[in-house]
Amino acid sequence: MMTLNGSDQIPLPQPVLAPLTRAAIFLVVTVKPEPESYATVRSFCSDLAGLIRAVEFRDIEAGLTCIAAFGSDAWDQLFGNPRPAELHPFREFRSGNRHAIATPGDVLFHIRARRMDICFELATQIMERIGDAVLPADEVQGFRFFEDRDLIGFVDGTENPRGGLALEAALVGDEDAAFAGGSYVIVQKYLHDMKRWNALSTEEQERIIGRKKLTDIEMDDAVKPASAHTALTVIEVDGKEVKILRDNMPFGQPSRGEFGTYFIGYSRTPRVTELMLENMFVGRPPGNYDRLLDFSRAVTGGLFFAPSVTFLEGAGEEQPAAAASATPPVASDSPSASASSVRDTSLGIGSLRGERHE
């Protein structure tokens, strides 16, 4: 079992491992470029837990949780040094007409509950507190669809790790002890061309996903195409599959023809999710890309770090001395370089590979 910290006091993680819920709001904002705006957000960090408790207490059974996570540039201005070892701007991947795009975002709030109204109330209270200091970048209200299926008709999240495996996959441990209990978060908003997708036969859809649509059983490797979504998103370290923790949600506006999936993946190191995206958008090998992207396109992309509750509660105590001199890392334009240029601090058990060992 992973230990979060070598000391006796283990930082309290944010509720990354909380159960899936029926409703969620994904709220992304950018901080206005004035020192007082950063001071407002920094001060709010230490008050967030109390605000959540106040809204949660109005309906304990609703299971309200909220995770706050911060982008690379915002981290420097809010907290200075030290910074999480692998926090950097979202890495774009582009090949042909497929593009994993990076979009603005300094702070992500992932709000979950069994009811949308209590999610809405917390989002409202958050913006009441920090609204003058931030600008909205994106807001998505997600819902759990029939049988936990995505709008394209397949069950989403089947391979999510559970219990100790989920903790091992999602939370930073001793490899970056200053930020133990934190988690890297990658989000993307995908829009689906449902008319073209629904024009496919069930068998064609199953070959693209790599699962049976009705039963949710994964296709045997002997018949599954190498370009199947479930094949390209398998990442291994020294022959062992490494997972991320997903909490994807459908969303949409039928009157506008908008049907989508909000992807959110928590991981101990962002390199796992980045390799999945490289496999999907560029291909493994290059050209053998995820055919789901012929019907779905990413319209947002962001990488954030969700520090522990312990860190957040102490964040508002003083302004970081190193914030003014902190320099954000530069992202690489090369897809192949982007997944390998980060120093190896993630798992400490070998290099990540995007290949299956048959």
Side-chain angles (χ1 to χ4, degrees):
M1 179 68 69
M2 180 187 71
T3 58
L4 295 182
N5 197 314
S7 67
D8 294 334
Q9 295 185 342
I10 298 177
L12 176 66
Q14 294 192 67
V16 170
L17 306 182
L20 303 182
T21 58
R22 305 303 304 177
I25 292 179
F26 306 93
L27 176 61
V28 179
V29 299
T30 58
V31 184
K32 294 179 180 178
E34 297 91 18
E36 56 268 26
S37 295
Y38 285 99
T40 296
V41 175
R42 186 185 310 112
S43 175
F44 174 73
C45 288
S46 59
D47 298 334
L48 177 59
L51 182 61
I52 296 169
R53 287 193 298 269
V55 177
E56 174 195 31
F57 194 74
R58 296 165 67 177
D59 184 358
I60 295 294
E61 295 181 354
L64 176 68
T65 63
C66 176
I67 296 165
F70 305 88
S72 179
D73 293 354
W75 186 279
D76 295 318
Q77 298 299 321
L78 288 169
F79 311 122
N81 291 317
R83 53 184 283 131
E86 295 194 76
L87 181 59
H88 53 260
F90 179 84
R91 289 201 167 98
E92 296 192 337
F93 296 94
R94 186 198 299 266
S95 182
N97 61 356
R98 302 177 301 281
H99 186 192
I101 187 173
T103 50
D106 290 331
V107 188
L108 164 71
F109 295 100
H110 180 195
I111 305 170
R112 294 182 282 190
R114 296 185 179 92
R115 296 166 34 189
M116 177 55 72
D117 59 345
I118 199 164
C119 293
F120 185 87
E121 174 65 11
L122 181 56
T124 300
Q125 294 299 328
I126 289 172
M127 292 306 296
E128 180 72 21
R129 290 288 306 275
I130 65 171
D132 291 339
V134 302
L135 295 171
D138 190 36
E139 180 179 345
V140 172
Q141 297 187 8
F143 57 89
R144 194 69 60 187
F145 204 44
F146 297 111
E147 300 176 327
D148 292 332
R149 295 179 185 269
D150 203 336
L151 296 183
I152 61 174
F154 287 80
V155 176
D156 198 359
T158 303
E159 295 299 322
N160 257 355
R162 303 178 184 181
L165 292 178
L167 185 151
E168 187 78 18
L171 299 183
V172 172
D174 295 332
E175 71 276 6
D176 191 7
F179 295 100
S183 184
Y184 293 92
V185 195
I186 287 182
V187 297
Q188 290 179 296
K189 180 178 177 180
Y190 285 89
L191 296 179
H192 308 313
D193 187 338
M194 293 303 297
K195 288 185 177 180
R196 291 183 57 234
W197 176 258
N198 289 332
L200 298 176
S201 67
T202 298
E203 291 75 17
E204 289 174 310
Q205 293 178 355
E206 290 174 344
R207 288 176 60 81
I208 289 172
I209 300 299
R211 288 185 178 277
K212 292 296 182 179
K213 192 171 186 178
L214 178 62
T215 64
D216 189 40
I217 296 175
E218 189 168 351
M219 297 170 65
D220 189 88
D221 287 344
V223 297
K224 181 195 303 182
S227 61
H229 179 75
T230 57
L232 291 174
T233 54
V234 170
I235 305 298
E236 293 192 348
V237 174
D238 297 337
K240 178 183 178 181
E241 184 177 353
V242 180
K243 294 181 179 290
I244 65 173
L245 188 65
R246 300 173 175 86
D247 196 0
N248 302 349
M249 280 281 198
F251 68 91
Q253 299 183 71
S255 65
R256 298 184 178 182
E258 179 185 86
F259 302 90
T261 299
Y262 200 94
F263 166 79
I264 181 165
Y266 292 93
S267 60
R268 188 171 177 170
T269 164
R271 290 189 292 152
V272 178
T273 314
E274 287 169 346
L275 273 173
M276 291 180 179
L277 295 181
E278 182 175 9
N279 291 346
M280 290 170 59
F281 284 82
V282 179
R284 187 180 71 201
N288 183 55
Y289 68 92
D290 188 343
R291 298 307 192 266
L292 182 58
L293 297 178
D294 291 340
F295 305 88
S296 300
R297 62 187 178 93
V299 295
T300 70
L303 168 63
F304 304 87
F305 184 76
S308 67
V309 172
T310 307
F311 180 94
L312 288 178
E313 289 182 342
E317 294 177 357
E318 60 182 17
Q319 183 173 357
S325 60
T327 302
V330 178
S332 170
D333 293 330
S334 168
S336 59
S338 65
S340 60
S341 59
V342 180
R343 61 191 177 92
D344 187 11
T345 60
S346 59
L347 300 176
I349 53 174
S351 60
L352 290 167
R353 300 186 61 192
E355 301 175 357
R356 296 198 76 156
H357 297 274
E358 303 296 344

